[in-house]
Amino acid sequence: MSLRNILPALALLSLVSASDALAHGDGAPQPVDTSGLEPLGEEWVATNPYRNNPKLHDIAVEIGSRGYNSNCARCHGLEVKSGGMAPDLRELGESETEDAWFLSRVLQGATVGGRQKMPPFEGLLNQEAIWAIRTYIDAQPE
Ligand code: HEC
């Protein structure tokens, strides 16, 4: 999807979700400060690099908590407890396939039957932020 397609979609989304936004902060995507996590480089890594990293795991959870709450909670629920509006992300397993699925969903968002149900985060969140969010989600009790 090009930027030209994304912008009107985002504008529309912010109108549609204006009332919902009042409950969970404004709907605009928020950049996430990832300092404290070493840069992962230009290439997208295919699996969560923080899951089995004792040094960075807890830092990732903390950064991911901020990233999740400012970008995902308004649909997927506070503390990742879904209120039914979007899937409960705690149910996604921790396999490589599910990592790949998570990454592609977050980058591309979700459009179902021509309606955008989740905005794409490509160009808005870097991969350190996306994997930190994944680490935070996985750290929540089911
Ligand atoms: C505007 C609401 C909204 C926002 C904001 C949003 N999502 Fe979603 N998300 C959805 C909906 C709705 C779906 C289900 C789409 C479908 O029907 O396929 C979804 C699906 C997903 C899936 C696939 C889940 C599965 O079980 O297949 C993942 C992963 C995901 N979102 C992660 C995120 C993350 C991470 C963020 C924040 C960076 C986020 N979403 C922000 C609404 C949202």
Side-chain angles (χ1 to χ4, degrees), residues 57-127:
H57 180 272
D58 291 0
I59 302 171
V61 170
E62 201 188 306
I63 291 172
S65 164
R66 274 186 270 124
Y68 177 87
N69 283 304
S70 53
N71 289 293
C72 322
R74 70 190 171 92
C75 294
H76 289 282
L78 290 170
E79 295 175 330
V80 205
K81 291 177 189 143
S82 169
M85 178 179 173
D88 194 315
L89 298 178
R90 295 171 301 176
E91 284 171 16
L92 201 61
E94 300 185 15
S95 68
E96 285 187 20
T97 316
E98 286 153 313
D99 271 354
W101 168 242
F102 181 87
L103 182 62
S104 73
R105 254 298 178 252
V106 176
L107 291 177
Q108 291 160 32
T111 298
V112 180
R115 282 191 54 211
Q116 190 186 65
K117 298 181 117 197
M118 169 172 159
F121 287 90
E122 183 160 23
L124 299 165
L125 296 179
N126 62 22
Q127 64 169 331

Side-chain angles (χ1 to χ4, degrees), residues 8 15-16 22 24 29-31 37 39 44 48 50 56 60 71 78 80 87 94 103 107 111-112 118 130 136 141:
L15 284 179
V16 170
L22 290 174
H24 293 299
Q30 300 294 314
L37 293 173
W44 289 96
N48 185 354
Y50 306 127
L56 295 178
N71 289 293
L78 290 170
V80 205
E94 300 185 15
L103 182 62
L107 291 177
T111 298
V112 180
M118 169 172 159
I130 294 174
Y136 166 74

